[in-house]
Amino acid sequence: MSQLNRQKIVESVPQKGFFGHPKGLFTLFFTEFWERFSYYGMRAILVYYMYYSVTKGGLGMDQTLALSIMSIYGSLVYMSGIIGGWFADRIFGTSKAVFYGGILIMLGHIALAIPGSIAFFFVSMVLIVLGTGLLKPNVSTVVGEMYSEKDTRRDAGFSIFYMGINLGAFISPLIVGSKAIMNTSFHLGFGIAAVGMFLGLVVFMATKKKSLGLAGTAVSNPLSSAEKKKVFTYFIIAILIIAIICFFTIPNGILTFEGFINLVSILGILIPTIYFIRMYRSPKTSSDERSRLIAYIPLFIAAVMFWAIQEQGSTILANYADTRTQLDFAGIHISPAWFQSLNPLFIITLAPIFALIWMKLGKREPSIPQKFSLGLLFAGLSFIVILLPAYFGGTDSMVNPLWLVLSYLICVLGELCLSPVGLSATTKLAPAAFSAQTMSLWFLASAAAQALNAQVVKFYTPETEMAYFGVIGGASIVLGIILMIIAPKIQRLMKGIR
């Protein structure tokens, strides 16, 4: 997309209308609010649905296998952002990608809400993975398109948008978790998640015409007619090959759960590597953009380490809440799913404080690499904290829930240093020809992290609990210190981007 076209898009968006920000921020804020309500409500109960017994409404899977599948599912959700970014950049633009993605997500949650066999579970996973890949990276890209590159409101706009994400994520585990676990009705919980996505689609379609202008409509790197025919042919061939492979390998025991988990773990690391190389070598990438891509690599690695810890809130820490935590506390019975509301609750509470701190610091505000470093230090500390109950009381005792609350709080401090900044930095550092796809690359950090987690969670047992949290937490702290040391070099490679 040329600089002139970007300027036309910005001028088409009403620039005043939502807390001093472009009017379209309202549309995207509430679209993402309901999409995150839908996704996090489902995610809050999914691992329990997998390993709870059939008599409790679950699928009765092995607990370790359920944790690995949950990680792989999370990895595929973010990995599919490649597909969503590509379709947006080359076929129908980001706005249509958001709409089509929302429909697939809603259908996936409806499939989960239908009582039935494990087949419904896997159909829903495919729909939600593809839908989130279309919606998630592209809705963030539309936010970036509403601001000029030099607009000082840009970071604040992403912070407000991030609040919408977390408001939906806070409410949904409380509602869905209560219905699914405390009332032993998982399918009702998934049905509530489907309604959430439907409401998101209604908000998006009802308000986008008057608020988004041309944002999300441009196809930055469209396919030619010849390329479209070639892509369609490849698409059909790929589907046929996958269908044939599954037909022969699954019944014969060649493609197993374990084999699929290992395959996705490899792809989680391989795909972003190929992505970096392809964008760097593209003739459409300028010399300054290549320098910025080099600067993005250590930030990407740092993000992988951070999300590897943060995303364990839906796996290891969810299991910890269910099996190691006192759920009768202060006169109330706590659903283990409620703990997953802690992360967004703390973000909603602390995000304005962090925004104020950055503004007050002015020129002394930490650079982007330094904020990433702080994120890693806090993430590592959150895992050091959660090993302390086992150190003081042993791995057989039930843990006061406040330890888990403290761990989530410390990790959120790191998230507020890294995540909103990472979203904004990605839109700034992206090569013009790969705008939506670079946003997909940001979400590939989460894909790589969870692909890594699919292997790592296998080492978690009550006996290895202290070593598990200690090694991972310590690695994050060491990486954070290294990143802080090389931060000035990374900043120079950004070529003026701050």
Side-chain angles (χ1 to χ4, degrees):
M1 189 188 304
S2 68
Q3 189 66 37
L4 180 61
N5 286 336
R6 285 187 175 184
Q7 185 61 35
K8 287 177 64 177
I9 289 172
V10 171
E11 291 173 355
S12 74
V13 178
Q15 289 294 311
K16 299 290 182 182
F18 190 67
F19 294 105
H21 286 264
K23 191 175 181 180
L25 192 59
F26 171 89
T27 297
L28 301 175
F29 178 96
F30 283 103
T31 300
E32 187 69 343
F33 166 84
W34 285 113
E35 188 274 331
R36 291 292 89 180
F37 176 96
S38 170
Y39 176 75
Y40 281 100
M42 175 274 299
R43 196 180 83 149
I45 62 174
L46 189 60
V47 72
Y48 305 128
Y49 176 60
M50 282 190 279
Y51 76 68
Y52 272 28
S53 67
V54 175
T55 57
K56 291 185 177 181
L59 296 175
M61 290 185 182
D62 173 75
Q63 188 167 288
T64 301
L65 177 62
L67 293 171
S68 288
I69 290 176
M70 188 70 185
S71 295
I72 285 300
Y73 164 64
S75 180
L76 288 171
V77 162
Y78 288 106
M79 208 181 293
S80 65
I82 303 170
I83 301 171
W86 187 87
F87 271 93
D89 274 347
R90 309 223 59 188
I91 298 180
F92 45 58
T94 51
S95 181
K96 288 183 179 178
V98 169
F99 177 69
Y100 297 149
I103 290 175
L104 291 176
I105 292 169
M106 182 179 67
L107 292 175
H109 290 155
I110 290 172
L112 275 174
I114 299 172
S117 68
I118 198 169
F120 278 108
F121 170 77
F122 287 111
V123 168
S124 71
M125 295 299 98
V126 172
L127 290 170
I128 294 169
V129 163
L130 294 176
T132 306
L134 283 169
L135 188 150
K136 185 60 180 168
N138 291 310
V139 71
S140 300
T141 300
V142 180
V143 174
E145 286 184 12
M146 295 190 302
Y147 298 88
S148 68
E149 290 181 346
K150 296 182 180 180
D151 194 331
T152 56
R153 301 174 300 167
R154 190 184 185 95
D155 283 2
F158 271 100
S159 294
I160 293 172
F161 175 71
Y162 204 60
M163 289 281 283
I165 293 174
N166 287 285
L167 191 58
F170 163 65
I171 295 172
S172 57
L174 299 177
I175 297 174
V176 175
S178 297
K179 295 297 182 183
I181 297 177
M182 298 178 79
N183 294 343
T184 61
S185 180
F186 284 104
H187 300 292
L188 176 59
F190 294 131
I192 294 171
V195 171
M197 189 65 257
F198 173 75
L199 292 173
L201 287 169
V202 169
V203 169
F204 183 73
M205 294 306 295
T207 62
K208 72 167 187 169
K209 188 174 182 179
K210 293 183 178 180
S211 63
L212 291 179
L214 296 175
T217 60
V219 181
S220 62
N221 187 21
L223 292 171
S224 66
S225 297
E227 286 175 324
K228 285 181 180 179
K229 292 180 181 178
K230 188 183 294 185
V231 166
F232 181 76
T233 302
Y234 289 159
F235 183 70
I236 297 298
I237 292 172
I239 291 177
L240 290 174
I241 291 173
I242 292 171
I244 292 169
I245 290 173
C246 291
F247 180 79
F248 286 105
T249 58
I250 293 176
N252 294 317
I254 298 171
L255 181 59
T256 62
F257 276 135
E258 189 64 32
F260 183 71
I261 289 168
N262 293 336
L263 175 63
V264 175
S265 293
I266 294 170
L267 291 176
I269 305 300
L270 186 61
I271 289 174
T273 303
I274 294 172
Y275 232 65
F276 270 113
I277 294 171
R278 179 175 173 272
M279 287 194 293
Y280 184 82
R281 296 181 64 182
S282 172
K284 297 177 182 178
T285 304
S286 69
S287 58
D288 278 357
E289 288 173 336
R290 287 192 178 94
S291 179
R292 290 166 184 163
L293 279 174
I294 294 295
Y296 196 71
I297 291 173
L299 300 182
F300 182 86
I301 293 171
V304 170
M305 182 73 248
F306 175 83
W307 294 118
I309 290 177
Q310 196 272 354
E311 292 289 354
Q312 291 193 45
S314 63
T315 54
I316 296 300
L317 293 187
N319 178 252
Y320 190 95
D322 187 39
T323 61
R324 290 274 285 122
T325 305
Q326 299 170 11
L327 295 178
D328 290 300
F329 183 76
I332 61 172
H333 182 71
I334 304 169
S335 167
W338 290 356
F339 286 95
Q340 292 186 54
S341 284
L342 289 172
N343 177 279
L345 172 63
F346 291 140
I347 288 175
I348 292 166
T349 305
L350 297 174
I353 298 173
F354 269 70
L356 183 62
I357 290 172
W358 301 143
M359 288 179 62
K360 290 290 185 182
L361 286 173
K363 293 182 178 180
R364 294 173 296 158
E365 180 183 355
S367 66
I368 291 171
Q370 288 171 335
K371 288 179 180 178
F372 269 65
S373 174
L374 291 172
L376 287 179
L377 294 174
F378 281 120
L381 185 59
S382 74
F383 260 32
I384 299 299
V385 163
I386 203 62
L387 69 79
L388 294 177
Y391 177 79
F392 289 120
T395 57
D396 296 328
S397 60
M398 298 301 285
V399 174
N400 188 306
L402 294 179
W403 282 106
L404 200 51
V405 172
L406 180 60
S407 178
Y408 272 104
L409 172 61
I410 295 172
C411 193
V412 164
L413 297 178
E415 186 169 348
L416 287 169
C417 291
L418 184 144
S419 190
V421 177
L423 277 171
S424 181
T426 299
T427 63
K428 293 177 182 178
L429 297 172
F434 300 96
S435 58
Q437 292 181 70
T438 309
M439 185 57 72
S440 299
L441 189 60
W442 168 249
F443 293 110
L444 278 179
S446 291
Q450 296 201 68
L452 182 65
N453 280 349
Q455 304 300 324
V456 171
V457 295
K458 298 174 185 178
F459 297 101
Y460 177 80
T461 65
E463 293 74 28
T464 63
E465 183 178 299
M466 287 183 61
Y468 183 89
F469 290 127
V471 170
I472 296 174
S476 182
I477 291 171
V478 169
L479 188 58
I481 293 171
I482 293 172
L483 186 61
M484 185 68 76
I485 293 171
I486 65 172
K489 173 66 175 177
I490 297 172
Q491 191 64 53
R492 287 193 294 272
L493 289 169
M494 290 184 180
K495 299 296 182 181
I497 297 296
R498 293 193 59 83

